[in-house]
Amino acid sequence: MIPVDQQRTFEARAGRWPDASAIHASAQAARDGDADSVIALAAALVHCAFAAPETALAVYAAFRNGWLGHAGTPSTPDAKLAPLSPSFWSAFWQLQEDRDKGDMDALTITARVAGLGAFTDPTLRARAEALAANHPKAAQPASRLPPPRLTLDELARQPEGSLARDFWRQIVDNKFDLEVLDREAMNLSALPPALCYLNTRILQMHDIWHLAGGFRTTALHEIAISAFQQAQFGHGYSAMFLAVVVSSVALRGGDGAPVILQTIAEASQYGWDSPSFMAIRWEAEWHQPLRDVRARHGIVAFEGSYPPDLFEQTQALT
């Protein structure tokens, strides 16, 4: 349990307007081992995920540039601050406490993180819609209809060694849900056009992008693909998930902070450097081998500094 006085201090920091130059400096200091700077980064990620999504591009650019040793601190845009309410913080800290118990599976964590959005300012949906519609790599989502559902039979009919069969094998072998979460259960159709399309397509293509981007289905690479999705599409849920993860490790002073922050910075940079995955018609590539799909679209596999299964290796030793 995080002490109450530490919670109140963090809440105050997360409520401040993020300054890109300060975030760049915090990232440099955090990389050098300063624990308070890790907390400052966590507060900035919470702010841009839950209070001011307009700042996310600048916050993540300043963070990855500072952490990776790159120059450049883009200015933080003007936007209305949506205060984080006591009900939000109550849900946020309860989620942190429940994660400490270690009895939540991945889908439960996903639902709980997404549920934090219910406690944010009501203006955020319209603001997030405007950002999604104009994101440089989102491929004009407001003009696109939600894609039809995929089926395992459709994937299984494709040639052995094709992208679709690799996808089918990943789903079947791991007993994954084909589209991660049910779009109707999540009421995605109630979202405005850009958010409806983006969120539906991200759920549908998440495991395809694991394959195309070289992201393993491990704990560390789930963090990596979230940073990739946040960079590529400004994905609101990914920003929320990253904010929760970084806050958790920052406020507990664990040894995992350098690994997690390095992975987020590298995967965020990978997202910006890669072609738009949202613009690719993946269904038209079903019959092609993965290597050919990558070559056609200029995709290289993500390579982080740490082994994808580092957390699993560490857990096996304890």
Side-chain angles (χ1 to χ4, degrees):
M1 177 85 178
I2 297 168
V4 173
D5 59 338
Q6 192 175 1
Q7 292 180 14
R8 299 293 90 82
T9 299
F10 185 79
E11 291 171 13
R13 296 179 82 165
R16 297 173 193 155
W17 193 252
D19 176 77
S21 296
I23 293 167
H24 190 280
S26 291
Q28 290 178 315
R31 183 191 58 199
D32 293 335
D34 182 65
D36 188 66
S37 293
V38 177
I39 296 175
L41 288 177
L45 296 188
V46 168
H47 186 97
C48 73
F50 297 105
E54 296 88 348
T55 67
L57 283 175
V59 166
Y60 273 89
F63 158 55
R64 65 175 177 263
N65 286 347
W67 186 274
L68 298 174
H70 301 162
T73 53
S75 59
T76 308
D78 292 331
K80 178 185 176 183
L81 171 64
L84 297 173
S85 66
S87 60
F88 167 81
W89 284 116
S90 177
F92 181 87
W93 296 121
Q94 188 61 56
L95 172 57
Q96 294 286 359
E97 183 177 346
D98 291 345
R99 286 185 75 241
D100 284 347
K101 298 174 184 175
D103 56 359
M104 288 198 296
D105 60 21
L107 289 179
T108 301
I109 292 173
T110 297
R112 290 285 299 276
V113 172
L116 292 174
F119 300 99
T120 58
D121 189 276
T123 66
L124 253 63
R125 176 173 291 188
R127 293 159 62 181
E129 170 72 4
L131 290 167
N134 294 292
H135 194 281
K137 293 201 172 191
Q140 299 179 317
S143 64
R144 305 172 78 175
L145 295 176
R149 284 182 174 277
L150 303 176
T151 68
L152 286 174
D153 287 345
E154 172 191 1
L155 301 174
R157 286 194 298 267
Q158 300 302 321
E160 193 67 45
S162 65
L163 173 63
R165 282 298 289 270
D166 290 348
F167 181 31
W168 177 84
R169 177 60 60 195
Q170 178 167 275
I171 297 298
V172 171
D173 287 354
N174 292 287
K175 296 181 172 60
F176 289 162
D177 290 321
L178 185 55
E179 296 194 0
V180 184
L181 295 170
D182 185 89
R183 60 175 80 176
E184 275 81 24
M186 297 189 68
N187 201 26
L188 296 185
S189 61
L191 295 173
L195 290 176
C196 176
Y197 179 82
L198 279 179
N199 282 282
T200 304
R201 191 61 166 167
I202 288 168
L203 288 177
Q204 186 177 65
M205 290 289 112
H206 179 81
D207 286 304
I208 280 285
W209 295 338
H210 264 283
L211 294 169
F215 297 103
R216 296 268 301 279
T217 56
T218 62
L220 187 60
H221 270 205
E222 287 298 341
I223 293 171
I225 200 171
S226 295
F228 163 80
Q229 290 178 166
Q230 195 286 324
Q232 280 255 317
F233 324 118
H235 188 215
Y237 168 78
S238 292
M240 293 177 183
F241 174 71
L242 295 172
V244 169
V245 168
V246 175
S247 298
S248 179
V249 71
L251 292 167
R252 288 164 179 78
D255 296 334
V259 174
I260 289 173
L261 292 173
Q262 179 77 22
T263 299
I264 292 172
E266 290 175 337
S268 180
Q269 189 66 57
Y270 172 79
W272 273 106
D273 292 342
S274 296
S276 169
F277 279 32
M278 194 62 71
I280 296 172
R281 295 180 59 242
W282 294 96
E283 291 88 344
E285 310 281 358
W286 278 163
H287 63 292
Q288 298 288 342
L290 175 57
R291 64 178 180 276
D292 293 349
V293 176
R294 283 178 174 168
R296 182 175 301 107
H297 296 286
I299 298 170
V300 298
F302 172 72
E303 292 186 10
S305 295
Y306 295 96
D309 61 346
L310 179 62
F311 291 157
E312 288 78 6
Q313 291 181 33
T314 302
Q315 189 173 32
L317 295 173
T318 59

